[in-house]
Amino acid sequence: MKVKTKKVLLAASLLTLFSPVVMKHQASALDIQAPTFIDDVKVKLLFRPRYEYVDDHSPNKNANALTIRTSIGVQINKIFQVNGLKAYIEATDVGALVDDYSPQKSGYAVVNDPDIARITEAYLSYTLNKTTFIAGRTRVNLDDERFIGSVDWRQMPQTFGIIGIKDNTIKNLNVLIAGIYERKGVTNTLNAHWRLDKMPIVLHGTYTFIPQLKVTAYGYLITNISNTYGINARGDIGLTKDVKFSYLGEYAIQKDPYTKYNLTTKPKVDADFYRVEAKLSGYGFFGIAGYERFQGADKGEDKGFTTPLATLHKWEGWADNFLGYIANTDTFGLKDAYFTLGYTHKDYGTATITYHKFDADKSTGYVGNTLKTISSKNFGSEVDVLYTVDLTKRLNFLAKAAFYDGKNITGSPSLKDLTKYWIQLTYRY
């Protein structure tokens, strides 16, 4: 791997911020004695090497990527002896040991883990009673990351610069109100910055009525993209001592964004989305059945229902064939019926297999002012398999694969066959 000087300096600078510290005589190697203006300081480390293979069944050469994520974080749990005033800073470097993939080299299939280094998190928070104020760059994972998430599957996570407040003063009610002034994506091409008066706004509230029913309402007002308003209900119901039934239902609508920034006109958006999911688990075994439906741009809109800030790798198959489509256009809509079978054991790990069946919502959709038509609503199918196990308290092994069977049609979305494999180790301290 080529070691760039600026990357080394970036990671090292995180530690040199705390050069006045000395090691506690009776503490472990990562418990440190802090200067008098900070207290309770802990260092976090993560090393994650991963091999990824991609065959996109195109003229591109098959991708072979061996990459490693190295992260160093410092958690400060007390500043200036003020209870509740905390800070966290983290630097992450992604390097390629084997770089036969795009964007590292042209002519290869894509693996979205380029050589990159940045400060992934740097924020202050202050908690007073049951209210927390936060400002700075951080991971944001809401619900199951269907709309906003940190995309931690990729070697460089997605983080956001936010100014926000979290509150659970009312029993069983958790509320988040935040403005987003920057986005740092998994690649630098996804980065974005907004003026404070043009920030995306996040409104999110969850109320637990009973242990078997939790309801969340939200509004995501994303500058230049759309306003999303939705509600979901989820819960777990114990059928016997060892068997549990879990459910999820969600509905959301999208409209024109509340404001535009550096655009001539606002995008025209008018679409909806719903999903249902049921899970039965017991004695280590579990089964999941779910269905998602995205409305497309079928009434002359600029795009259909999209989720550009989500952890999209979690959804619509691990092959990521529909990732860009659902993030940006969704012209014809999308339906995804999926089924998962799995087994988990505390000593032997977890194994799963998932089947997806994809279809367009409609055979027509608009691209700008042009009505497009597809010959078939059949968008193919996919099989995903996974095995993961904790080898030690700190070391995890993961192997997974995705096999997308398309219709060998190029366009948006591309329906060409796609095969991916991953082997990964994760070490945390």
Side-chain angles (χ1 to χ4, degrees):
M1 177 178 66
K2 297 179 180 179
V3 179
K4 296 184 174 66
T5 303
K6 63 179 183 180
K7 292 184 177 183
V8 176
L9 291 176
L10 177 61
S13 64
L14 184 61
L15 296 181
T16 57
L17 284 172
F18 302 96
S19 57
V21 308
V22 295
M23 305 301 295
K24 286 185 177 179
H25 179 66
Q26 296 179 337
S28 68
L30 293 181
D31 291 331
I32 54 180
Q33 177 85 36
T36 56
F37 65 91
I38 58 176
D39 195 10
D40 192 6
V41 179
K42 298 184 182 299
V43 174
K44 299 180 180 180
L45 303 175
L46 181 144
F47 302 99
R48 191 170 77 176
R50 177 164 71 209
Y51 171 75
E52 180 168 347
Y53 167 86
V54 180
D55 179 358
D56 63 4
H57 295 267
S58 77
N60 292 325
K61 297 177 183 178
N62 296 343
N64 288 276
L66 179 58
T67 60
I68 183 168
R69 177 204 283 193
T70 304
S71 295
I72 306 174
V74 177
Q75 176 72 53
I76 307 169
N77 291 316
K78 185 182 288 188
I79 303 174
F80 296 117
Q81 301 303 308
V82 177
N83 290 328
L85 183 60
K86 301 179 181 181
Y88 182 70
I89 184 169
E90 176 188 277
T92 298
D93 172 80
V94 178
L97 286 78
V98 177
D99 61 356
D100 293 334
Y101 65 96
S102 177
Q104 295 295 103
K105 293 180 180 178
S106 61
Y108 286 85
V110 174
V111 174
N112 274 319
D113 291 322
D115 274 332
I116 188 173
R118 72 164 67 122
I119 300 296
T120 38
E121 296 195 74
Y123 66 85
L124 286 170
S125 68
Y126 176 65
T127 301
L128 180 64
N129 297 323
K130 296 184 178 182
T131 303
T132 298
F133 304 88
I134 185 169
R137 184 181 300 174
T138 184
R139 288 169 169 82
V140 179
N141 291 310
L142 298 181
D143 299 327
D144 54 10
E145 305 174 50
R146 172 67 275 188
F147 289 93
I148 298 179
S150 61
V151 200
D152 253 311
W153 169 248
R154 297 266 49 110
Q155 293 287 50
M156 179 60 69
Q158 174 172 261
T159 56
F160 300 93
I162 70 168
I163 302 170
I165 179 172
K166 297 186 293 184
D167 182 82
N168 63 335
T169 300
I170 300 174
K171 185 179 179 180
N172 297 329
L173 176 65
N174 291 279
V175 175
L176 169 67
I177 301 172
I180 301 175
Y181 61 83
E182 72 170 5
R183 174 196 187 185
K184 292 294 186 181
V186 298
T187 66
N188 285 335
T189 59
L190 296 173
N191 293 350
H193 302 270
W194 297 276
R195 286 185 353 211
L196 295 184
D197 62 337
K198 299 288 186 178
M199 288 193 300
I201 304 298
V202 173
L203 308 169
H204 187 275
T206 299
Y207 188 80
T208 303
F209 288 89
I210 55 177
Q212 297 80 15
L213 176 61
K214 180 186 294 184
V215 175
T216 298
Y218 52 83
Y220 306 134
L221 285 57
I222 310 302
T223 308
N224 291 352
I225 299 174
S226 65
N227 285 358
T228 302
Y229 308 96
I231 187 169
N232 67 55
R234 66 184 71 210
D236 300 320
I237 301 171
L239 302 181
T240 69
K241 178 182 177 181
D242 299 302
V243 179
K244 180 175 66 176
F245 174 76
S246 305
Y247 68 90
L248 165 68
E250 183 163 25
Y251 179 77
I253 60 172
Q254 280 187 348
K255 300 294 183 181
D256 300 356
Y258 87 100
T259 188
K260 60 183 176 68
Y261 184 45
N262 292 334
L263 293 181
T264 304
T265 59
K266 290 182 182 180
K268 184 179 180 182
V269 183
D270 186 9
D272 67 359
F273 161 85
Y274 65 83
R275 61 171 170 156
V276 291
E277 184 178 280
K279 178 180 180 181
L280 188 65
S281 57
Y283 303 99
F285 295 94
F286 58 91
I288 301 171
Y291 181 80
E292 290 188 321
R293 180 262 188 182
F294 297 80
Q295 183 180 355
D298 52 17
K299 300 186 296 295
E301 303 89 351
D302 292 315
K303 55 188 173 182
F305 195 103
T306 59
T307 60
L309 304 184
T311 298
L312 288 165
H313 180 76
K314 290 183 64 176
W315 314 102
E316 287 77 58
W318 296 335
D320 290 339
N321 193 66
F322 297 96
L323 187 150
Y325 179 71
I326 290 300
N328 301 307
T329 57
D330 189 28
T331 302
F332 305 102
L334 184 66
K335 297 176 180 178
D336 177 14
Y338 58 92
F339 307 91
T340 297
L341 293 175
Y343 177 76
T344 186
H345 187 280
K346 63 181 181 66
D347 295 322
Y348 305 124
T350 299
T352 67
I353 182 169
T354 300
Y355 173 79
H356 293 266
K357 178 63 182 74
F358 303 110
D359 292 283
D361 185 41
K362 293 188 177 180
S363 58
T364 59
Y366 282 85
V367 178
N369 295 321
T370 304
L371 180 64
K372 299 289 186 177
T373 302
I374 50 177
S375 59
S376 172
K377 293 197 292 185
N378 182 359
F379 274 5
S381 62
E382 181 171 327
V383 174
D384 299 329
V385 293
L386 172 143
Y387 174 70
T388 183
V389 62
D390 290 330
L391 301 177
T392 70
K393 180 181 178 181
R394 303 188 184 279
L395 182 64
N396 173 267
F397 170 82
L398 176 146
K400 73 178 188 178
F403 308 92
Y404 172 73
D405 181 9
K407 310 299 291 184
N408 287 323
I409 299 173
T410 59
S412 180
S414 170
L415 302 180
K416 297 183 72 64
D417 292 352
L418 189 58
T419 303
K420 296 186 178 183
Y421 303 99
W422 301 269
I423 299 175
Q424 174 181 284
L425 289 171
T426 303
Y427 179 81
R428 300 176 187 273
Y429 196 106

